Amino acid sequence: MEHTNDAHKVKPFTDDEYAQYQKAFSVPHRRPIRVGPKGYVLRADWPTHSEDVRTMPLRPDDIFVVSFPRSGTTWTQELVWLIENDMNFEKAKSIPLTDRYPFLEDFIYASATRMAARNDPAKLKMLEEILKPAPERLAATPSPRFIKSHLPLSLLPEGTLDTARVVYVARDPRDVAVSFYHFLKSFPHNGLTASFKEYYDLFINDLEMWSPIFEHVKEAWQQRHHPNMLFLFYEELSKDLGAVARRVADFLGKQYTDEQYASLLDHLKFDNFQKNTAVDITDLKKFGLLDSKGQNFIRKGKTGAWRDNFDEEMIQRTEQWMADNMRDTDLLFPQN
């Protein structure tokens, strides 16, 4: 997979885009940028670190878990890690998932997190270590390295798909929008005051971070037959996790007994997974970044939840939006 200069060209939001974006928040946000010919939305400080990401040295045993946010990333990370690590449940429970999977573009949150902890020197000092750029952290990480990213394939390190293995998980965009909204509401410093319907205008108009979602998913879908790519749907995990676990094991060259798979499925059962503190971002509650009384990072895990949140006008608008974006692809999201 090759990167071109065009893939990294940057332009800021227009005045109209920024006004529409900022309208959803009660606090000022820096003007986001669009990156590459698809116009992926990222935070303004992306160009400061993009070259470090693009040129990050890769290893043949690196494993990336990639997705658009709120698409089942955390569930997939735990599944992949356990299968690659011989079902070591005790280790998985003792080491936070965020330590096992450095977040490749975590620096885009650095300014927001430092701002939230600015009045607490002890928290700020801890944050400085946590927020060390992922390429720097990964350079000192022993193999095999596990890497999380919400970047589209075209913005991952150069040569990722030809060197490392990538597990990509996609989810129905309507459910992603609902989950993303509730996720953002749980971060008080974001100042999101928009109703879901108002927020959905941002999402459907590709003004949310990492948008456009369809281009993000289609990039991965086009590479689904690459030997180093495993493309999954969240809806598949939800419907038949056992079958997906076996696909992941085949992809990673692992074999397990029925008893081991049974233990894995129990560990990953949604009720158990939601209570697993090793996969929740509890550190963010300590730093005051996540509402301590609010939802867990692992929310409901429900497919088809969009139906409880959309009115008739939104449904009709969304049908047209999806039809327009699916016209040039054979990609189909599973029915739920």
Side-chain angles (χ1 to χ4, degrees), residues 207-250:
L207 296 171
E208 180 55 280
M209 294 298 150
W210 288 282
S211 296
I213 185 172
F214 283 103
E215 296 302 330
H216 199 296
V217 175
K218 285 190 286 190
E219 272 198 41
W221 179 253
Q222 288 167 2
Q223 298 289 345
R224 68 193 182 280
H225 299 306
H226 193 290
N228 283 342
M229 164 70 83
L230 179 63
F231 188 103
L232 304 173
F233 286 106
Y234 179 86
E235 290 77 11
E236 295 173 325
L237 276 82
S238 183
K239 184 177 180 181
D240 193 346
L241 186 57
V244 174
R246 284 171 167 79
R247 283 177 61 197
V248 172
D250 286 344

Side-chain angles (χ1 to χ4, degrees), residues 46 54 62 82 121 193 203 211 249 251 263 287 317-318 335:
W46 162 254
R54 186 183 72 81
D62 286 342
L82 283 164
T193 52
F203 193 88
S211 296
F251 178 66
S263 297
F287 289 121
R317 189 157 43 115
T318 301
Q335 295 297 306

